[in-house]
Amino acid sequence: MTGYVALVLHAHLPYVRHPEHARSLEERWLFEALWECYLPLLGVLDRLAADRVAAPLTLSVSPPLLAMLRDGLLLRRFEDHLRRLTALAARVEARFAGSGFAPAAALYRARLADAARAWEALGGDVPGALVRHAAAGRIELLTTAATHAYLPGLLPTPASIRAQLRLGRRAFAALTGAPAPRGLWLPECAYAPPLDADLAAAGVRFTVLDAHALTLAAPPAPANAAVPVLSPSGVACFGRDRDSAREVWSRDAGYPGHPAYREFHRDVGLELPERELDGEIGPDGVRLMTGLKLHRVTGPGPDKAPYDPARASAQARVHAAAFVARREAALASIHGAPAPPILVAPYDAELFGHWWLEGPEFLEHALRRLAASERAVPIALGAYLERHPPAAVVEPAASTWGEGGYGAFWTGPSAARLWRHAHHAERAVLDALSRRRDAGGLPGRALDQAIRELLLLQSSDWAFMMSVGEMVPYAEARARAHATRARRLASLAQEPSVAAADVAWLDALCALDPFLAELAGPALRDAFDPWR
């Protein structure tokens, strides 16, 4: 054996729930991810299990995503979305019958039918299916901070770092019924040296950092980050393999840009006449992505050829073979490592199926080839540590996997104004917590909801949207709403008496944002306390 390969998927979406809108546009993010990504991923795991293919991977699932996957309203709305999209797919298939777009149109109706059957078979319980695969040893589950907060941005407010870490692990256990994982995905793969002690105190045993966190460590990690190291507090740190990232993520050279693959930006929702879209349009006639896309990448220009599913499927198999062959060659080139080298290849789970339609198929072929390889053995991160505990101790450097490798994407000019609101809201919540920690009744409910609103305000998603320039008004509105609610709730928790209107407002707010309703009282409030 030459070494190991660890495929790591990080599944996360911002917490979005809008019961006040019958068909919220932002809720579609979850619906798209379910039928395009999460259900196909479960299909990959099911087929590998049926064929007795031993190719474990590591999967991080965030508490906001788990909470949405446990929300009855959202699950019912997903089923409605699936029915509407299936009807639209049938109309699209009929419209393009006999044309060059017929194979692509037929593909979507088949994929939606597969999604509906899979959803019915698992009773809509995606978290339960993941836990069953984990119990069978086919995947290793991780979690992340409570609301996927960019943790280096909270360094001025260490109480919130403690709460994000503690509540991330508690939320995972409450929402899955499984023990809190040993490993934790750092949101945005973001690290700063002061986080080390907090991670260890939270019970985190391992995490993944970008490669430059270890190559620039003091002292530099051995074997160019191809083996994990220990932080000063004893947290095992794996480094991301740069070549694996480039082959999949690169805009210029990454696999998803191959001419045979499905073109993401051409969608029937943007191109067909409105009368043919079965109502799949937004307010005031705004055109929406439906997920039904009939063109292939073709080339860099605007002219796109019809998508050929058979050709794309064949290309996914070729790319999977190339991916594994390159990992085998890379492992063979590593010399002098203190333990068998491991190439860690982490990706956003939503890449596979949503942005890259052929991604789940690529993933399945890659896992099957790795399972048959004698030079690049697939392994989960925790299993590697059990076999080869790291010995070298280094202090990793500050880093993220974002553009430029550091934190400008989440703290730079486009998003900097968010942090002032987050820190002001935290002060108000902590002040209420110090005064009314043991409150019950309505003041206790207000205090607990203030904590939940603060956590949602701290989500890295709002800064991300603002930095990429997409959904900026929505991100700003969410940040303002959570900041305002957190401060008002903190004040309400300290009032000697509460008006009937405030009671009604609190009741409505708890129904509107039931995030982490599974945790209340001490389970929420002691998360901010110093480590003991």
Side-chain angles (χ1 to χ4, degrees):
M1 187 199 78
T2 303
Y4 297 96
V5 173
L7 286 170
V8 181
L9 302 184
H10 174 53
H12 166 69
L13 293 174
Y15 184 77
V16 173
R17 185 181 190 273
H18 291 293
E20 71 276 20
H21 299 300
R23 289 172 61 179
S24 161
L25 301 185
E26 293 79 19
E27 287 178 357
R28 293 169 70 101
W29 301 338
L30 173 65
F31 307 155
E32 291 165 356
L34 270 167
W35 81 268
E36 293 176 331
C37 306
Y38 307 144
L39 292 174
L41 175 60
L42 285 172
V44 170
L45 296 174
D46 289 342
R47 288 188 294 274
L48 294 177
D51 293 343
R52 301 183 181 276
V53 175
L57 58 81
T58 303
L59 175 65
S60 165
V61 189
S62 76
L65 176 56
L66 285 170
M68 292 188 290
L69 293 174
R70 289 295 192 205
D71 190 296
L73 171 69
L74 294 178
L75 300 187
R76 290 192 298 274
R77 287 184 170 184
F78 169 65
E79 292 169 356
D80 291 341
H81 178 82
L82 201 59
R83 283 192 289 269
R84 293 196 309 271
L85 203 55
T86 299
L88 176 60
R91 288 176 61 90
V92 169
E93 185 178 22
R95 186 188 200 278
F96 290 102
S99 75
F101 294 105
L107 171 73
Y108 287 111
R109 198 152 74 95
R111 284 176 66 93
L112 286 161
D114 288 343
R117 283 191 293 269
W119 182 257
E120 183 177 3
L122 55 85
D125 186 5
V126 171
L130 293 174
V131 169
R132 288 192 292 275
H133 279 294
R138 291 186 281 272
I139 59 174
E140 177 183 34
L141 289 174
L142 311 185
T143 192
T144 186
T147 54
H148 207 262
Y150 178 74
L151 296 179
L154 297 176
L155 288 174
T157 55
S160 280
I161 293 175
R162 294 192 292 268
Q164 283 283 344
L165 294 174
R166 281 175 168 147
L167 293 175
R169 302 184 79 238
R170 291 176 188 175
F172 178 92
L175 291 163
T176 65
R182 297 174 298 165
L184 181 128
W185 177 265
L186 286 168
E188 316 304 351
C189 206
Y191 180 82
L195 296 176
D196 177 36
D198 291 318
L199 291 170
V204 175
R205 294 294 168 257
F206 63 89
T207 191
V208 177
L209 306 181
D210 209 289
H212 60 290
L214 301 185
T215 56
L216 300 178
N224 200 31
V227 293
V229 295
L230 293 175
S231 71
S233 295
V235 178
C237 299
F238 292 87
R240 181 168 75 139
D241 177 50
R242 288 193 181 99
D243 291 336
S244 300
R246 183 169 54 252
E247 289 172 23
V248 173
W249 276 121
S250 170
R251 294 177 182 175
D252 300 321
Y255 297 142
H258 189 277
Y261 288 147
R262 192 272 311 267
E263 167 62 45
F264 177 81
H265 297 285
R266 296 284 298 270
D267 190 286
V268 301
L270 307 179
E271 299 180 350
L272 289 186
E274 183 176 322
R275 65 182 181 275
E276 298 185 30
L277 293 175
D278 281 346
E280 286 304 298
I281 58 173
D284 302 320
V286 172
R287 291 304 188 97
L288 305 174
M289 289 275 198
T290 65
L292 310 183
K293 306 167 192 293
L294 306 181
H295 297 81
R296 61 183 176 91
V297 172
T298 310
D303 296 328
K304 306 294 180 181
Y307 177 62
D308 182 345
R311 180 181 174 187
S313 179
Q315 188 60 53
R317 188 183 294 268
V318 169
H319 276 151
F323 179 85
V324 173
R326 288 170 181 162
R327 303 292 77 74
E328 291 174 334
L331 287 167
S333 70
I334 298 171
H335 304 290
I342 177 171
L343 301 179
V344 179
Y347 310 102
D348 283 336
E350 293 75 26
L351 166 69
F352 296 88
H354 178 62
W355 300 103
W356 183 17
L357 178 71
E358 302 80 8
E361 191 171 0
F362 163 86
L363 190 65
E364 181 172 349
H365 290 313
L367 288 169
R368 289 180 183 274
R369 283 187 169 271
L370 288 169
S373 175
E374 297 180 353
R375 294 178 290 165
V377 177
I379 196 168
L381 298 180
Y384 179 93
L385 292 177
E386 290 174 0
R387 298 182 193 180
H388 309 289
V393 178
V394 308
E395 183 171 322
S399 57
T400 77
W401 71 351
E403 186 175 354
Y406 297 98
F409 213 74
W410 295 275
T411 60
S414 297
R417 61 189 182 275
L418 292 179
W419 293 100
R420 174 168 56 90
H421 298 295
H423 296 324
H424 287 336
E426 188 210 39
R427 282 197 290 272
V429 172
L430 290 183
D431 182 63
L433 188 58
S434 69
R435 297 170 185 269
R436 300 303 307 272
R437 171 180 294 272
D438 298 323
L442 188 138
R445 289 179 61 213
L447 180 58
D448 289 347
Q449 190 63 23
I451 291 171
R452 299 183 186 108
E453 298 291 341
L454 173 63
L455 295 170
L456 289 169
L457 170 61
Q458 293 169 342
S459 167
S460 72
D461 300 290
W462 320 134
F464 180 86
M465 293 177 193
M466 295 171 73
S467 290
V468 299
E470 296 178 359
M471 302 297 297
V472 174
Y474 181 76
E476 291 177 333
R478 286 291 300 269
R480 285 195 301 269
H482 293 307
T484 301
R485 293 170 190 168
R487 292 195 297 269
R488 181 178 173 186
L489 288 161
S491 177
L492 192 62
Q494 301 175 72
E495 294 292 334
S497 62
V498 180
D502 289 326
V503 176
W505 176 75
L506 177 59
D507 289 341
L509 184 57
C510 290
L512 183 70
D513 269 351
F515 176 68
L516 292 194
E518 296 81 3
L519 302 177
L524 277 176
R525 301 173 198 177
D526 71 8
F528 294 87
D529 293 348
W531 302 112
R532 293 186 294 272

